[in-house]
């Protein structure tokens, strides 16, 4: 099976196939290809010319059709691979793919395909099927559960819904499964334990219910495991002792309680470990000091206690331990800026002499400048330069480029940013983004607030510091400036996140495009907020929903264009 697949890949190298001159694509397959290309609306485009044999060099079909021409003494070809990624195909899926008996690799991702998967596809013998980033809908396609030859299945970023059928366990030799960002419901299937060969498992943004099945422990081949944002159903830390090849582990917001087991520090291949937004208690295991390959460690927003281990502060990697309950001692940090180590609100203030802990490390975070002038308004151009709007209001610059595990203090405000963009395309992993198309319903005076925005991969918390206590109108300015509005897959991008103000959930599954009535349009959310301890807190959290690969891979996470905070009282100075 695998051999055949490798062979198909190597056949892309035409030099191996000097005999293609005489070899011809099987006549029935030529017919099938014609029908498929016609149905997909691709006939005549991009040099796909049926006057030449699609398997021949003169055919010039490139990697969109790959053939194996070794049949009948090197005279007959069969199609093994079809790749029509990113071609704006907006039709339904033709059943005629089944007539390509030798087809193993089918990539139709990043198009605009609609409908479901034809039941006829059940007879196909594919090893790879990618449908990422389309408009496919309906229940989980039964046909897929019959293609038992599948090694790599990706249906993420579509509109499938309902429960995952038990029959998916038929796919016993799966190595990669990506089903993020669909509207599946129900529990994470316990039968995932059937997939003993699985290396890549992504289950995010699915609205699944917990708990994490303990049966996951048998998946010892896992290298890349991502599960996040489960609803209901708590569990303790899953047993992952035997998964020694793990490189990326995301178990974020999965309702995991109890201690982090010691063995996690022995998973020496770990490059990214994200255990944020759970309910983990106890100390960070001492074994964590041995995670030498881990570039990113997120323990953000748990209930971890005990002293902060020394390796955290000597680490040159990104370590985020913000929002925990560590015990402060004299070896603890004296200030909040710690380079790539984020320690915001990481200490429990109750058990210590309060004045020895820097306020930003504490939960209640009062104004430090006790005698200094307090402020009565605040304006930030998130991700942008300083701008003066209407010649009166100055929006402060917010151009800090870091954001994986960072705290940045600008004086009267600060932000704490957590998360790196997984799978990010080169050059598209920034925390500051710029508009990729025109803005629409923005007054000329305000344009500069919306041409840039700050983005975060997991969570972003802005703090207003040393505000006079009292009531304020807080305005959060948003515009979707990355996705476009046309009939290309670009328009299928969806950004969904949650917004908290003063710790209170204000917007759940907030979708800027939906609220604003399109991309490049402005929506302002306004709140009356009572500031008690001189501190205002605005938090954006990505709950794993929305697309992650449009327009580029690693394109996700909450964004915000500007923040304004104006007093509801008359300032006395
Ligand atoms: C088919 O082509 C391959 C590669 O050029 C060659 O090794 C093999 O002998 C050929 N087989 C026949 C039956 O001609
Ligand atoms: C797809 O559509 C977009 C927007 O209309 C266009 O910019 C792009 O060139 C198209 N791509 C192809 C391969 O036709
Ligand atoms: C976290 O765990 C503690 C102790 O088990 C429990 O009291 C608390 O309710 C849990 N919190 C959440 C958010 O699950
Ligand atoms: C943190 O853990 C302790 C037990 O260690 C528990 O009493 C407390 O409720 C937890 N706090 C939260 C916020 O979950
Ligand atoms: C600037 O003035 C315009 C026109 O009066 C108004 O629509 C806009 O909201 C003002 N901008 C800000 C940021 O207050
Ligand atoms: C960003 O928006 C501004 C204002 O609409 C526009 O002038 C500029 O061309 C846009 N940038 C891109 C790359 O489309
Ligand atoms: C702030 O607003 C709340 C209601 O939102 C009100 O009860 C309170 O009196 C206000 N405080 C001040 C100082 O105006
Ligand atoms: C832009 O359009 C949205 C939706 O129609 C509306 O809520 C918003 O107020 C508009 N913004 C401006 C600046 O006109
Ligand atoms: C304000 O700070 C005090 C002590 O620093 C703390 O007891 C109180 O809970 C805080 N209030 C709020 C609303 O955070």
């Amino acid at each position: 099976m695998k051999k055949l697949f490798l062979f198909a890949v190597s056949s892309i190298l035409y030099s191996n196939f000097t005999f293609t001159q005489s070899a011809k694509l099987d006549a029935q397959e030529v017919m099938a290809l014609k029908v498929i290309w016609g149905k997909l609306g691709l006939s005549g485009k991009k040099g796909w010319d049926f006057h030449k044999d699609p398997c021949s060099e003169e055919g010039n079909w490139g990697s969109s059709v790959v053939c194996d021409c070794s049949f009948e003494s090197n005279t007959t070809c069969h199609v093994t691979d079809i790749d029509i990624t990113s071609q704006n195909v907006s039709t339904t899926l033709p059943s005629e793919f089944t007539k390509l008996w030798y087809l193993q690799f089918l990539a139709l991702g990043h198009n605009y395909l609609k409908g479901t998967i034809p039941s006829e596809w059940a007879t196909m013998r594919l090893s790879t099927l990618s449908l990422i980033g389309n408009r496919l809908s309906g229940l989980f396609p039964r046909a897929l559960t019959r293609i038992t030859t599948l090694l790599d299945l990706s249906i993420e970023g579509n509109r499938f819904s309902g429960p995952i059928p038990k029959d998916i366990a038929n796919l016993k030799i799966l190595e990669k499964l990506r089903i993020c960002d669909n509207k599946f419901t129900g529990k994470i299937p316990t039968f995932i334990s059937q997939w003993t060969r699985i290396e890549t498992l992504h289950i995010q943004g699915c609205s699944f219910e917990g708990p994490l099945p303990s049966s996951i422990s048998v998946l010892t081949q896992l290298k890349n495991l991502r599960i996040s944002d489960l609803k209901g159903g708590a569990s303790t830390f899953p047993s992952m002792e035997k998964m020694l090849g793990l490189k990326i582990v995301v178990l974020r917001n999965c309702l995991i309680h109890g201690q982090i087991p010691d063995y996690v520090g022995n998973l020496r291949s770990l490059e990214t470990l994200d255990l944020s937004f759970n309910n983990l208690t106890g100390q960070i295991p001492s074994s964590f000091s041995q995670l030498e390959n881990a570039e990113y460690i997120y323990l953000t927003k748990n209930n971890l206690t005990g002293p902060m281990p020394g390796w955290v502060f000597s680490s040159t990697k990104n370590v985020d331990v913000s929002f925990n309950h560590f015990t402060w001692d004299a070896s603890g940090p004296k200030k909040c800026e710690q380079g790539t180590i984020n320690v915001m609100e990481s200490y429990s203030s109750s058990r210590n002499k309060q004045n020895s802990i820097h306020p930003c490390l504490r939960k209640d975070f009062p104004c430090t400048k006790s005698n200094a002038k307090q402020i009565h308004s605040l304006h930030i151009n998130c991700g942008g330069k300083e701008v003066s709007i209407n010649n009166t209001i100055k929006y402060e610059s917010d151009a800090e480029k870091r954001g994986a595990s960072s705290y940045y203090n600008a004086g009267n405000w600060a932000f704490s940013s957590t998360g790196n963009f997984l799978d990010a395309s080169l050059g598209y992993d920034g925390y500051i983004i710029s508009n990729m198309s025109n803005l629409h319903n923005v007054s000329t005076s305000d344009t500069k607030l919306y041409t840039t925005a700050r983005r975060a991969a997991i969570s972003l918390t802005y703090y207003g510091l040393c505000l006079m206590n009292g009531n304020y109108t807080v305005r959060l300015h948003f515009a979707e400036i990355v996705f476009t509005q046309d009939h290309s897959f670009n328009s299928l991008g969806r950004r969904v996140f949650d917004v908290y103000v003063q710790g209170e959930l204000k917007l759940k599954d907030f979708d800027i495009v939906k609220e604003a009535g399109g991309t490049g349009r402005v929506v302002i959310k306004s709140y009356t907020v009572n500031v008690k301890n001189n501190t205002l807190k605005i938090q954006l959290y990505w709950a794993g929903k929305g697309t992650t690969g449009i327009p580029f891979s690693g394109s996700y996470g909450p964004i915000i264009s500007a923040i304004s905070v104006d007093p509801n009282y008359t300032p006395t100075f």
Side-chain angles (χ1 to χ4, degrees):
M1 175 78 249
K2 191 140 192 183
K3 228 175 190 169
L4 250 172
F5 177 62
L6 287 176
F7 177 70
V9 169
S10 71
S11 65
I12 294 170
L13 306 171
Y14 294 104
S15 54
N16 285 353
F17 284 80
T18 44
F19 51 79
T20 51
Q21 309 297 17
S22 52
K24 287 219 162 0
L25 177 57
D26 173 275
Q28 289 192 6
E29 293 193 25
V30 175
M31 289 300 294
L33 266 191
K34 276 187 185 161
V35 173
I36 292 167
W37 251 244
K39 286 195 172 178
L40 295 175
L42 295 171
S43 301
K45 286 192 181 169
K46 209 192 161 191
W48 285 311
D49 179 0
F50 281 97
H51 293 105
K52 309 245 172 67
D53 192 282
C55 296
S56 70
E57 250 180 276
E58 309 86 74
N60 199 25
W61 284 47
S63 57
S64 48
V65 170
V66 173
C67 311
D68 175 355
C69 296
S70 66
F71 296 89
E72 292 171 33
S73 312
N74 296 340
T75 61
T76 300
C77 305
H78 293 291
V79 175
T80 57
D81 299 22
I82 290 187
D83 183 348
I84 18 189
T85 304
S86 300
Q87 298 300 326
N88 295 342
V89 181
S90 60
T91 63
T92 55
L93 289 166
S95 59
E96 284 78 4
F97 278 110
T98 58
K99 298 195 172 151
L100 304 171
W101 291 102
Y102 294 80
L103 189 64
Q104 291 175 36
F105 177 98
L106 180 55
L108 298 165
H110 291 160
N111 280 297
Y112 205 62
L113 292 160
K114 63 184 175 187
T116 187
I117 291 175
S119 55
E120 291 87 344
W121 280 30
T123 61
M124 291 214 280
R125 286 293 158 260
L126 297 171
S127 61
T128 298
L129 175 61
S130 171
L131 295 165
I132 178 176
N134 280 290
R135 295 179 292 164
L136 300 169
S137 58
L139 294 175
F140 189 97
R142 289 275 166 181
L144 291 184
T145 65
R146 306 276 182 76
I147 311 178
T148 51
T149 45
L150 276 171
L151 299 175
D152 184 348
L153 174 62
S154 171
I155 56 168
E156 67 184 284
N158 277 288
R159 299 172 185 172
F160 292 116
S161 55
I164 302 287
K166 282 202 171 63
D167 296 351
I168 197 180
N170 294 342
L171 306 181
K172 287 202 168 57
I173 60 170
L174 267 186
E175 291 172 1
K176 294 182 178 171
L177 178 68
R178 282 163 288 198
I179 57 173
C180 299
D181 187 31
N182 278 290
K183 291 176 193 148
F184 294 125
T185 50
K187 292 195 172 180
I188 292 199
T190 51
F191 47 76
I192 60 176
S193 59
Q194 303 275 324
W195 298 323
T196 50
R197 299 196 196 175
I198 203 131
E199 293 177 4
T200 298
L201 182 61
H202 294 186
I203 305 180
Q204 285 184 278
C206 281
S207 311
F208 276 130
E209 282 161 40
L212 274 176
S214 58
S215 52
I216 205 169
S217 61
V218 303
L219 308 182
T220 54
Q221 302 304 306
L222 273 173
K223 294 196 171 102
N224 190 330
L225 172 67
R226 303 185 203 171
I227 302 178
S228 80
D229 303 286
L230 300 180
K231 299 185 297 185
S235 67
T236 52
F237 205 93
S239 170
M240 298 167 64
E241 242 161 324
K242 294 188 181 134
M243 304 178 191
L244 295 173
L246 278 171
K247 287 189 168 166
I248 298 180
V249 173
V250 175
L251 293 173
R252 180 176 57 243
N253 199 11
C254 286
L255 299 153
I256 307 173
H257 59 85
Q259 304 213 347
I260 305 174
D262 285 340
Y263 68 76
V264 177
N266 299 329
L267 302 173
R268 300 292 164 80
S269 309
L270 275 179
E271 291 165 5
T272 299
L273 176 65
D274 179 358
L275 304 176
S276 62
F277 292 83
N278 282 298
N279 198 2
L280 295 164
T281 49
Q283 305 197 11
I284 299 180
S286 56
S287 58
F288 267 51
S289 63
Q290 289 152 18
L291 286 175
E292 281 156 12
N293 294 316
E295 284 294 328
Y296 302 97
I297 298 179
Y298 304 109
L299 300 174
T300 317
K301 191 88 172 74
N302 276 291
N303 190 359
L304 295 168
T305 51
M308 187 93 73
W311 65 265
V312 170
F313 297 107
S314 56
S315 179
T316 54
K317 309 294 172 61
N318 294 275
V319 182
D320 199 310
V321 289
S322 58
F323 305 100
N324 274 293
H325 291 111
F326 292 104
T327 312
W328 201 89
D329 62 29
S331 68
K334 303 288 186 291
K335 60 184 172 72
C336 300
E337 290 87 347
Q338 298 284 337
T340 57
I341 318 298
N342 188 1
V343 290
M344 277 304 291
E345 299 195 50
S346 52
Y347 288 91
S348 180
S349 15
S350 55
R351 291 171 225 175
N352 299 276
K353 281 178 278 160
Q354 300 229 346
N355 55 9
S356 59
I357 315 177
H358 194 284
C360 64
L361 304 171
R362 279 156 47 177
K363 285 284 161 199
D364 45 33
F365 199 176
C367 180
T368 34
K369 302 192 259 178
S370 48
N371 299 316
K373 194 175 154 192
Q374 296 188 356
I375 56 166
H376 50 72
S377 68
L378 179 62
H379 301 91
I380 309 167
N381 184 16
C382 307
K385 295 190 200 129
E386 179 183 306
V387 288
S388 240
I389 304 292
N390 296 341
N391 292 323
T392 50
I393 312 160
K394 190 178 90 182
Y395 279 74
E396 293 184 45
S397 149
D398 169 19
E400 170 61 38
K401 289 203 164 59
R402 294 171 310 131
S405 52
S406 321
Y407 172 71
Y408 173 80
N409 188 321
N412 284 317
W413 59 273
F415 73 75
S416 166
S417 174
T418 302
N420 61 301
F421 298 96
L422 292 169
D423 309 321
S425 315
L426 209 61
Y428 200 76
D429 57 353
Y431 298 92
I432 290 179
I433 55 171
S434 299
N435 66 316
M436 294 172 76
S437 56
N438 279 324
L439 297 167
H440 301 299
N441 70 336
V442 189
S443 64
T444 324
S445 59
D446 293 3
T447 304
K448 285 190 177 124
L449 295 182
Y450 299 99
T451 49
T452 53
R454 178 167 294 283
R455 179 172 76 134
I458 299 174
S459 93
L460 175 63
T461 309
Y462 274 95
Y463 295 90
L465 303 175
C466 298
L467 283 162
M468 287 192 68
N469 288 338
N471 285 348
Y472 290 83
T473 299
V474 173
R475 288 191 188 85
L476 308 180
H477 304 246
F478 301 101
E480 177 52 63
I481 56 175
V482 174
F483 307 139
T484 56
Q485 213 159 358
D486 47 33
H487 289 281
S488 75
F489 84 95
N490 248 354
S491 66
L492 297 178
R494 272 191 327 121
R495 186 187 306 284
V496 182
F497 57 97
D498 299 339
V499 178
Y500 296 77
V501 177
Q502 298 297 60
E504 203 180 295
L505 180 61
K506 296 286 188 189
L507 300 169
K508 173 93 189 133
D509 294 340
F510 180 57
D511 180 335
I512 301 170
V513 174
K514 250 192 208 163
E515 293 265 334
T519 60
R521 299 174 72 88
V522 169
V523 57
I524 299 170
K525 288 285 169 185
S526 186
Y527 304 98
T528 301
V529 175
N530 185 242
V531 170
K532 279 186 188 136
N533 276 2
N534 306 110
T535 308
L536 169 68
K537 204 151 123 181
I538 296 155
Q539 192 201 6
L540 314 179
Y541 173 70
W542 181 56
K545 295 180 186 168
T547 50
T548 58
I550 297 174
F552 309 111
S553 46
S555 179
Y556 59 87
I559 61 172
I560 185 162
S561 304
I563 295 172
S564 55
V565 181
D566 296 294
N568 290 357
Y569 57 90
T570 314
T572 51
F573 56 88

